[in-house]
Amino acid sequence: IKILEQQNDRKALADASYKLGSAYIQIGKFPEAKEQINNALKIHEELSDKVAIGMDLLRLAAIESNLSNYEKSVELSTKALEINKAIANQKGIADAYRQIGVVQQWQDKYDEALKNIQNALDIYEGINDKEGITKCHNTVGGIYWRKGNLDEAMEEYNKAFSVAEALNKKSLMSDILGNMGLIYWNQGDSEKALEYYEKSNVIAREIEFKSGESINLFNMAILNMEGGEFEEAQELYQKS
């Protein structure tokens, strides 16, 4: 980035900041991510790059949702939706609908969330965006889980995982496997839950997905505690 600043290559600098911010999101460093994405947004606005502006806003929306700032996240996603509609960017429109739906599930607005995720899914299927499709199924699985519909949730997670595995999207695979572990846990199958959390954690360690690894270890610690494996539970707690 310092070299690009010296060269005054504004577009390359913005792209580098965006990529660095995205990497910070991956490892859970949200303040650093926010700084880099805001740097990218400022330059993209100077360049009037509407597609990139929409992407920046959605990255910022994801950061705000991870920080539990849900209203801010929806506000940023709605701005991105408007921009992408104005330039008829179908992927950007779908991404914005999906991000809004993701946040709405955390706000317990399940019907609205499902509507927005379906809007996104319809577009992703129309443009054959496999990664978008798997993310939608993963989110719908989470909504069904929150509503207590465990069988429907697992069905959606299986759909999501099959596509993620075919694409070799490791972060998605890890996330979905962890979600499956939660379903088994809720169904009272602690052994199966531990198996899936461990599968998720193997991938999380491989790609240095720190936040995912921490969640898996914490959940595994609780499961071991419930099973009377106190030393193992304590070790997992310390690692998480």
Side-chain angles (χ1 to χ4, degrees):
I1 288 179
K2 290 185 181 298
I3 294 172
L4 293 172
E5 286 176 342
Q6 292 170 356
Q7 295 175 342
N8 199 31
D9 188 336
R10 304 296 283 165
K11 184 180 186 309
L13 179 59
D15 291 345
S17 294
Y18 179 86
K19 289 176 181 177
L20 181 57
S22 297
Y24 278 134
I25 292 173
Q26 183 74 17
I27 59 176
K29 292 188 175 182
F30 301 119
E32 294 89 343
K34 191 172 182 178
E35 179 182 359
Q36 291 300 325
I37 300 298
N38 272 317
N39 289 342
L41 177 60
K42 182 179 179 180
I43 297 172
H44 287 140
E45 287 176 336
E46 291 173 5
L47 298 173
S48 296
D49 187 338
K50 300 295 186 182
V51 172
I53 291 169
M55 292 171 64
D56 295 337
L57 289 170
L58 287 175
R59 273 288 186 264
L60 291 170
I63 293 168
E64 295 297 345
S65 66
N66 275 288
L67 296 172
S68 300
N69 299 327
Y70 300 136
E71 293 300 330
K72 183 65 175 178
S73 180
V74 170
E75 177 188 332
L76 290 164
S77 299
T78 301
K79 286 182 181 178
L81 179 61
E82 292 169 354
I83 289 170
N84 282 297
K85 281 184 175 181
I87 60 175
N89 178 16
Q90 293 302 301
K91 176 170 170 50
I93 294 169
D95 289 345
Y97 275 131
R98 184 177 60 79
Q99 179 61 34
I100 293 169
V102 166
V103 174
Q104 286 173 331
Q105 71 161 329
W106 293 334
Q107 295 176 306
D108 298 333
K109 298 177 180 180
Y110 302 132
D111 290 341
E112 293 176 56
L114 285 170
K115 180 180 178 181
N116 280 304
I117 296 299
Q118 187 61 53
N119 287 340
L121 182 58
D122 289 343
I123 296 171
Y124 286 137
E125 289 176 340
I127 61 177
N128 198 31
D129 185 331
K130 299 293 187 183
E131 185 173 350
I133 290 168
T134 192
K135 287 179 178 179
C136 283
H137 285 303
N138 191 31
T139 301
V140 172
I143 294 170
Y144 281 139
W145 170 75
R146 288 170 180 274
K147 294 179 71 173
N149 301 334
L150 301 184
D151 291 338
E152 291 91 337
M154 185 61 84
E155 182 179 345
E156 292 294 327
Y157 288 144
N158 276 313
K159 288 178 183 177
F161 186 78
S162 65
V163 181
E165 187 174 34
L167 295 172
N168 198 33
K169 292 291 183 180
K170 296 293 184 73
S171 61
L172 274 171
M173 290 166 62
S174 177
D175 185 39
I176 296 163
L177 287 167
N179 291 337
M180 289 177 167
L182 182 58
I183 297 297
Y184 283 120
W185 190 355
N186 290 163
Q187 291 175 331
D189 193 340
S190 298
E191 184 176 343
K192 202 74 172 175
L194 279 169
E195 176 188 337
Y196 273 76
Y197 280 130
E198 181 56 38
K199 286 180 179 180
S200 174
N201 214 44
V202 167
I203 298 173
R205 283 198 301 268
E206 177 188 342
I207 62 174
E208 298 185 354
F209 182 22
K210 298 298 184 182
S211 58
E213 185 178 358
S214 179
I215 292 169
N216 286 328
L217 290 170
F218 181 78
N219 288 332
M220 291 164 67
I222 295 175
L223 280 162
N224 275 277
M225 182 73 73
E226 290 177 351
E229 301 291 337
F230 301 116
E231 289 185 9
E232 178 71 14
Q234 185 176 14
E235 183 179 340
L236 289 165
Y237 270 129
Q238 290 173 345
K239 288 180 179 179
S240 69

